[in-house]
Amino acid sequence: MEPMEDASTMERMMMQRAKKTRTPINGSLELLPLCNMNCDMCYVRLSKEEMEAQGRLRTLQEWLEIAGQMQKSGVLFLLLTGGEPLLYPNFKELYLKLQDMGMILTVNTNGTLINEEMAEFFGRNKPRRINVTLYGSDEEAYRNLCHYPGGFAKVIQGIRLLKEQGIDVKIGGSLTKANQNDVDRLIDIGGELDVPVRINTYMMPAVRERNKPYNLQSRLEPKEAAKARIQALRGEMGEELFAQYIEKSLFQVENIVCEETLGRMSCMAGKCSFTINWQGEMRPCVTMSEPAMSVFEVGFDAAWKYIMEETDKILLSSKCSACKLRPLCRTCAASAWSETGDYEGVPDYMCQYAGETLRLLQEMAWEKREEKYSWINDFR
């Protein structure tokens, strides 16, 4: 997963420079695994009992100690996430202290806890952005998928309150079988609220479902996910930009030079970006379970050095390196491990996903060509 995929041009330049110098400029703190919702596809959430069986929440002072070390090492961009980060007992104090250290903060939230008081807090202490996940277009989705009746109305109200405070908000949509028909409506809701929408149609397999066949998992089956991806991109981009996307994507597939060799990670993870989970384990990204090292045991710099060195050792499938579908495929180290249990594994899910994406783009390109030259039929 690429960190800060919605970064500005200046932010991307800073990230690229940090990648070359191996400076940990971007990170995320998973403050806790607890959440007031219980979404079927979640791979993070634990109940309070499950959490206590595995460990404890880190104190405010523990996080601030690590934050001071992060500051000295060059960390600038920081994402606060969870679970639901607003449930962290000392969230506001931690947030303010991190801002005082010069951190540029982004917050991931499900939006249900954004009331007037919380919106005003963010209005007085503006983050870089607040990412709000919208799990469906009505209360039924929140009841059936998130097991949180009344959640939809709370999220919409929360977004409105944040907008009233002049806060930059982005809606993230996560498609599953329970809400797969909501693509267009989610985009419409974003338009109505004047908030950009980014719909994620590829979901990592939930921990509780990893050993089940695709048709028994909460996430969409591969070809359904590909179809939803195309539909979402079309809605997000608009017809003109989407036509350019089709042309560019097909050109890349047709002209890619493939070589069968073991691949290496090309993203920012472990190069200039990291995550620290609620137990204090640093990892290259939020969806990778290893390599991992406890920052509370060895300190931030030693943990970062270990993560960099171990990330450099990760090799990816040579079959993937030689695949013509690479420009359309979303396979990365994290998804390979999550899907197959092996960084060098070839995820069948992603193969089907990319193959169907290509088929759909080719079909749409042909339709557009026929439409463009339909006037010829008038002379026959």
Side-chain angles (χ1 to χ4, degrees):
M1 294 291 183
E2 195 70 21
M4 292 180 65
E5 64 179 2
D6 57 352
S8 67
T9 301
M10 179 60 71
E11 288 169 342
R12 288 187 181 279
M13 289 175 62
M14 295 173 70
M15 294 275 286
Q16 288 296 336
R17 182 174 181 181
K19 184 178 179 181
K20 290 180 180 178
T21 60
R22 294 301 183 94
T23 301
I25 193 174
N26 178 63
S28 69
L29 300 184
E30 180 190 276
L31 299 179
L32 75 176
L34 304 176
C35 185
N36 56 324
M37 302 201 303
N38 187 17
C39 301
D40 289 339
M41 69 293 185
C42 186
Y43 58 87
V44 175
R45 183 191 185 277
L46 298 175
S47 67
K48 185 178 180 181
E49 293 72 25
E50 290 171 328
M51 181 194 77
E52 291 174 346
Q54 296 183 31
R56 63 171 177 85
L57 294 185
R58 293 294 173 167
T59 66
L60 173 65
Q61 286 309 122
E62 285 177 312
W63 282 124
L64 290 177
E65 171 62 28
I66 292 301
Q69 297 175 31
M70 289 164 51
Q71 179 193 41
K72 293 177 182 178
S73 296
V75 176
L76 178 62
F77 302 107
L78 195 62
L79 170 68
L80 301 181
T81 186
E84 172 49 54
L86 301 188
L87 288 174
Y88 182 71
N90 302 104
F91 176 84
K92 290 181 182 178
E93 190 172 355
L94 176 61
Y95 180 98
L96 292 174
K97 294 286 187 181
L98 292 171
Q99 277 198 334
D100 289 344
M101 291 181 184
M103 306 285 186
I104 299 174
L105 303 179
T106 301
V107 180
N108 279 358
T109 175
N110 63 37
T112 61
L113 301 179
I114 303 290
N115 53 25
E116 289 188 8
E117 187 273 332
M118 184 58 73
E120 290 173 359
F121 169 80
F122 285 125
R124 294 191 301 272
N125 310 281
K126 284 188 170 57
R128 171 182 174 271
R129 176 178 293 119
I130 293 185
N131 299 319
V132 179
T133 304
L134 193 57
Y135 290 97
S137 63
D138 55 30
E139 295 294 357
E140 182 179 0
Y142 275 79
R143 183 172 59 253
N144 296 336
L145 177 65
C146 306
H147 308 288
Y148 191 78
F152 177 75
K154 290 182 179 180
V155 176
I156 297 301
Q157 176 65 5
I159 293 173
R160 289 196 173 110
L161 290 172
L162 292 172
K163 290 286 290 181
E164 289 173 4
Q165 294 292 328
I167 295 166
D168 188 358
V169 181
K170 183 177 180 180
I171 291 175
S174 299
L175 283 194
T176 67
K177 291 174 181 175
N179 63 2
Q180 63 181 308
N181 297 320
D182 286 354
V183 174
D184 292 335
R185 181 58 189 142
L186 289 174
I187 293 172
D188 288 344
I189 290 172
E192 293 164 6
L193 296 171
D194 192 27
V195 174
V197 178
R198 181 64 182 271
I199 297 177
N200 182 18
T201 63
Y202 169 64
M203 306 291 293
M204 298 279 185
V207 173
R208 69 192 87 172
E209 297 181 339
R210 281 181 179 166
N211 295 321
K212 294 182 180 180
Y214 302 145
N215 64 335
L216 295 180
Q217 296 181 10
S218 298
R219 61 177 177 165
L220 296 175
E221 293 189 42
K223 292 184 179 181
E224 291 176 336
K227 182 179 179 181
R229 177 191 188 187
I230 296 302
Q231 182 183 357
L233 288 174
R234 190 173 192 170
E236 293 167 17
M237 294 179 177
E239 291 299 326
E240 186 175 345
L241 283 178
F242 183 66
Q244 295 176 25
Y245 168 78
I246 293 175
E247 185 176 342
K248 178 182 177 181
S249 297
L250 294 180
F251 177 85
Q252 289 176 327
V253 171
E254 292 165 4
N255 293 276
I256 188 172
V257 177
C258 297
E259 181 181 358
E260 188 163 343
T261 180
L262 288 172
R264 293 187 180 276
M265 291 176 60
S266 60
C267 65
M268 303 293 185
K271 309 290 178 59
C272 66
S273 184
F274 64 91
T275 187
I276 301 175
N277 74 359
W278 64 277
Q279 293 171 305
E281 288 187 340
M282 181 189 289
R283 300 171 181 174
C285 83
V286 69
T287 50
M288 296 175 69
S289 57
E290 59 177 49
M293 178 63 70
S294 174
V295 294
F296 294 112
E297 291 181 10
V298 304
F300 181 85
D301 286 343
W304 173 244
K305 183 174 184 294
Y306 174 81
I307 294 300
M308 280 196 300
E309 292 173 348
E310 293 302 305
T311 298
D312 285 342
K313 298 176 184 178
I314 294 175
L315 298 175
L316 308 179
S317 167
S318 59
K319 182 178 178 181
C320 291
S321 298
C323 182
K324 295 275 291 182
L325 294 178
R326 270 194 299 136
L328 300 177
C329 186
R330 302 182 65 185
T331 297
C332 64
S335 61
W337 179 270
S338 179
E339 298 280 356
T340 71
D342 186 347
Y343 287 127
E344 294 184 42
V346 179
D348 175 66
Y349 189 104
M350 302 305 288
C351 294
Q352 293 188 48
Y353 186 97
E356 181 66 5
T357 299
L358 176 61
R359 189 192 71 78
L360 291 169
L361 290 177
Q362 289 173 331
E363 185 179 90
M364 297 179 81
W366 180 255
E367 289 174 356
K368 287 184 177 295
R369 291 189 189 104
E370 283 195 323
E371 181 181 331
K372 182 177 181 180
Y373 295 107
S374 62
W375 59 269
I376 294 176
N377 295 325
D378 296 337
F379 296 93
R380 290 180 177 174

